[in-house]
């Protein structure tokens, strides 16, 4: 009977995999690999930190899927919130001053959570749109002020800001910019404060609209900033009349143990970009939040219409889901759990470092962490296949989904589990990493 069930599950997988290969173009995927191998998993269910695939395997979602399922999988409250909103008002446009209660309530809640005087949100469907919105807004702002030359956007190397044309152009990882006709006026600096000062001097502050940075770089390797980096960035931006944009798409809404990543570094930006954790991935929503000062200046300086908006800006259902998500995070003190379990995860990473010579560094904050692996000690060169790729593949055999980061010669394992994780589950992740490293190193 069990054998028959397994055969049925495999048959169902094969049926769907064949359709997948014919008709679904996957994001960030090798076209050839998709056609040759088909989908690695076809997920059917999620519960807490776990995902279940169509063949009946339960797997720990060690990256919260795409750093975004913060409250964990399978929360019926969010489905109920979506249903109740769709029964009343599934959609209405927010163009030309039209509005609805969910977007009004959500914008108020976001403003309450924000540091400093960040107070007004333009909603989007995700992070890439939110970053493009920020770039258009800062350029529009400087044009209104008569500073027509202030168009350039500076970002950091190893940064990630999205995959729309503007967001790709801002991304500091060359692999994401490897396509024709990038958007103009984007520049990149390393993470030393002198590099930023030098570029401003070379290009001229009167040509620079904004500086953008993630508080902690995510896809670039879970890289923390140098000490006092963002305090100095804030001062430099103020001194040179440059707007400061914080990309909190990954770090926002609790991932680092505070509401927003910048709160760990005592710096308040002029603009904050949000997405992912605002709805824990249960609905596609993001946004750009601007300061009270910037809002007031835009009101004072504007005469016509700011010709920018997406069909789904402030989608009623997405806003209702986001509100319920933020309510759960608050009522269940999940950010407190992020701090506690984040400490446990970092303790586990340090234990792994003591056990495995191949680990050169462990780092992170809250439930956002990385394990960096060394190059081959004998040759001082990268392995033919990065170790992190092999470890991620082996960890899947033991029920753990993680991420390998190999951009720019890195060899890094990244983890960002859901906020609902408990001590035993953290220990299970550490145990699987340990087992997987041991097996890969033994060959």
């Amino acid at each position: 009977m069990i054998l028959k069930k397994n055969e049925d599950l495999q048959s169902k997988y094969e049926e769907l995999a064949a359709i997948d290969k014919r008709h679904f173009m996957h994001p960030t995927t090798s076209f050839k690999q998709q056609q040759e191998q088909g989908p690695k998993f076809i997920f059917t269910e999620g519960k807490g930190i776990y995902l279940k695939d169509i063949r009946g395997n339960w797997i720990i979602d060690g990256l919260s899927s795409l750093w975004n399922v913060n409250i964990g999988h399978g929360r019926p409250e969010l489905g109920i919130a979506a249903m109740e909103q769709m029964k009343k008002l599934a959609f209405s446009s927010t163009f030309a001053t039209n509005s609805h209660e969910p977007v009004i309530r959500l914008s108020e809640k976001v403003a309450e959570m924000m540091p400093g005087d960040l107070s007004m949100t333009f909603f989007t469907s995700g992070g890439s749109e939110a970053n493009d919105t920020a770039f258009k807004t800062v350029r529009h702002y400087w044009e209104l002020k008569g500073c027509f030359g202030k168009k350039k956007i500076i970002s950091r190397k190893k940064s990630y800001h999205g995959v729309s044309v503007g967001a790709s152009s801002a991304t500091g990882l060359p692999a994401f910019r490897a396509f024709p006709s990038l958007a103009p006026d984007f520049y990149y600096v390393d993470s030393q404060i002198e590099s930023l000062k030098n570029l401003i001097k070379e290009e001229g502050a009167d040509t620079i609209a904004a500086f953008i940075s993630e508080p902690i770089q995510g896809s670039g390797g879970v890289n923390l900033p140098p000490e006092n980096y963002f305090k100095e960035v804030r001062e430099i931006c103020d001194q040179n009349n440059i707007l400061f944009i914080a990309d909190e798409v990954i770090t926002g809404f609790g991932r680092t143990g505070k509401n927003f990543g910048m709160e760990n570094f005592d710096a308040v930006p002029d603009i904050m970009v949000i997405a992912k954790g605002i709805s824990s991935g249960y609905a596609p929503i993001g946004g750009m939040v601007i300061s009270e000062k910037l809002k007031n200046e835009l009101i004072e300086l504007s005469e016509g219409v700011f010709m920018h908006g997406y069909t789904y800006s402030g989608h009623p259902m997405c806003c209702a889901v986001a509100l319920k998500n933020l309510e759960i995070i608050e009522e269940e003190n999940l950010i407190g759990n992020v701090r506690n379990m984040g400490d446990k995860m970092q303790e586990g990473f340090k234990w792994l470092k003591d056990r495995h010579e191949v680990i050169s560094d462990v780092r992170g904050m809250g439930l956002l962490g990385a394990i960096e692996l060394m190059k081959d000690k004998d040759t001082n060169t990268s392995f033919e296949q990065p170790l992190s790729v092999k470890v991620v593949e082996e960890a899947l055999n033991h029920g753990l989904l993680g991420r390998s980061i190999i951009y720019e010669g890195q060899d890094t394992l990244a983890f960002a589990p859901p906020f609902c994780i408990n001590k035993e589950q953290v220990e299970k992740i550490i145990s699987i990493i340990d087992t997987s490293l041991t097996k890969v190193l033994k060959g």
Side-chain angles (χ1 to χ4, degrees):
M1 196 71 179
I2 294 174
L3 181 61
K4 178 66 167 64
K5 181 182 178 183
N6 290 340
E7 288 173 353
D8 290 344
L9 293 175
Q10 181 62 26
S11 176
K12 183 69 171 177
Y13 167 82
E14 290 172 0
E15 175 197 348
L16 291 174
I19 297 170
D20 181 285
K21 289 196 285 186
R22 282 198 301 271
H23 299 298
F24 178 38
M25 180 185 278
H26 287 253
T28 316
T29 298
S30 161
F31 295 120
K32 185 173 288 187
Q33 183 185 36
Q34 179 188 351
Q35 292 306 308
E36 290 177 352
Q37 299 179 13
K40 188 171 292 185
F41 295 102
I42 298 175
F43 291 116
T44 60
E45 188 179 344
K47 187 173 179 61
I49 71 164
Y50 293 95
L51 288 166
K52 183 182 181 183
D53 88 331
I54 199 166
R55 289 170 285 198
N57 303 305
W58 285 95
I59 296 163
I60 296 172
D61 186 359
L63 204 80
S64 298
S65 288
L66 280 174
W67 326 83
N68 63 333
V69 188
N70 289 2
I71 65 169
H73 298 279
R75 295 298 300 251
E77 302 97 318
L78 273 68
I80 292 168
M83 179 186 69
E84 292 297 332
Q85 182 56 47
M86 286 191 285
K87 286 196 298 186
K88 291 186 293 184
L89 179 67
F91 177 77
S92 68
S93 168
T94 57
F95 282 33
T97 76
N98 292 313
S99 200
H100 52 76
E101 186 171 357
V103 76
I104 293 169
R105 297 294 184 195
L106 181 59
S107 60
E108 179 185 44
K109 182 61 181 175
V110 169
E112 288 173 359
M113 297 179 72
M114 284 284 150
D117 68 339
L118 293 159
S119 63
M120 176 177 271
T121 303
F122 179 101
F123 288 105
T124 67
S125 299
S128 295
E129 284 184 1
N131 274 318
D132 273 15
T133 297
F135 303 146
K136 289 179 73 173
T137 302
V138 298
R139 287 165 171 164
H140 178 65
Y141 167 78
W142 289 120
E143 189 174 56
L144 289 174
K145 289 179 74 76
C147 303
F148 300 103
K150 288 177 80 69
K151 300 176 181 177
K152 296 172 183 174
I153 309 291
I154 300 174
S155 64
R156 292 165 64 198
K157 295 175 181 178
K158 296 185 180 179
S159 66
Y160 177 81
H161 299 294
V163 294
S164 57
V165 173
S168 289
S169 300
T171 292
L173 294 163
F176 287 91
R177 304 198 308 269
F179 64 89
S181 299
L182 289 167
D185 296 319
F186 287 90
Y187 295 77
Y188 319 96
V189 293
D190 63 31
S191 295
Q192 301 304 312
I193 206 70
E194 289 303 316
S195 298
L196 178 58
K197 289 180 179 178
N198 290 338
L199 184 59
I200 293 171
K201 186 175 180 180
E202 289 168 11
E203 298 297 324
D206 58 347
T207 72
I208 300 169
F211 170 81
I212 183 169
S213 180
E214 301 159 276
I216 299 171
Q217 293 177 330
S219 296
V222 189
N223 304 309
L224 277 72
E227 190 174 358
N228 294 322
Y229 180 76
F230 288 116
K231 282 185 178 181
E232 294 184 68
V233 164
R234 178 73 272 178
E235 291 173 5
I236 291 167
C237 288
D238 289 341
Q239 291 163 4
N240 291 278
N241 215 21
I242 295 169
L243 294 176
F244 176 18
I245 305 168
D247 181 341
E248 295 257 12
V249 170
I250 288 176
T251 51
F253 303 100
R255 174 59 61 186
T256 67
K258 291 184 181 290
N259 282 339
F260 300 97
M262 278 297 171
E263 294 180 271
N264 295 287
F265 307 114
D266 297 322
V268 178
D270 302 293
I271 294 174
M272 186 181 287
V273 175
I274 56 175
K276 295 189 186 291
I278 191 173
S279 70
S280 288
Y282 282 71
I285 184 168
M288 172 195 72
V289 190
I290 64 174
S291 69
E292 191 76 11
K293 177 179 181 294
L294 191 55
K295 178 189 81 171
N296 291 337
E297 286 191 83
L298 286 169
I299 293 168
E300 181 183 339
L301 295 167
S302 298
E303 293 183 4
V305 175
F306 181 31
M307 300 298 288
H308 181 72
Y310 303 103
T311 299
Y312 298 120
S313 292
H315 189 287
M317 181 275 288
C318 295
C319 291
V321 169
L323 276 166
K324 177 55 69 172
N325 173 67
L326 297 179
E327 179 185 305
I328 289 171
I329 289 173
E330 192 172 273
E331 289 184 351
E332 298 184 6
N333 190 27
L334 290 180
I335 297 179
N337 197 57
V338 168
R339 291 192 291 270
N340 293 333
M341 294 303 104
D343 288 345
K344 293 289 182 187
M345 188 170 77
Q346 286 300 317
E347 287 173 14
F349 286 177
K350 289 172 184 173
W351 177 80
L352 288 169
K353 187 174 185 296
D354 289 339
R355 281 177 55 81
H356 298 278
E357 288 185 2
V358 74
I359 297 176
S360 60
D361 186 36
V362 296
R363 55 184 178 269
M365 184 176 286
L367 284 173
L368 180 61
I371 298 170
E372 188 169 327
L373 305 176
M374 295 180 186
K375 295 180 178 180
D376 189 314
K377 286 195 302 182
D378 297 328
T379 64
N380 198 33
T381 59
S382 297
F383 291 92
E384 184 176 343
Q385 183 183 27
L387 281 181
S388 60
V389 173
K390 295 181 179 180
V391 173
V392 167
E393 289 176 355
E394 180 59 32
L396 283 173
N397 297 328
H398 302 277
L400 172 63
L401 184 63
R403 179 164 177 172
S404 167
I405 296 176
I406 55 175
Y407 311 123
E408 299 294 280
Q410 294 186 83
D411 198 356
T412 299
L413 296 163
F415 296 95
F419 295 1
C420 56
I421 195 168
N422 61 37
K423 181 174 177 287
E424 290 73 26
Q425 291 166 341
V426 171
E427 290 171 352
K428 179 67 173 175
I429 288 175
I430 299 303
S431 175
I432 292 174
I433 299 169
D434 181 39
T435 298
S436 301
L437 267 170
T438 300
K439 186 163 184 179
V440 165
L441 291 169
K442 284 182 178 178

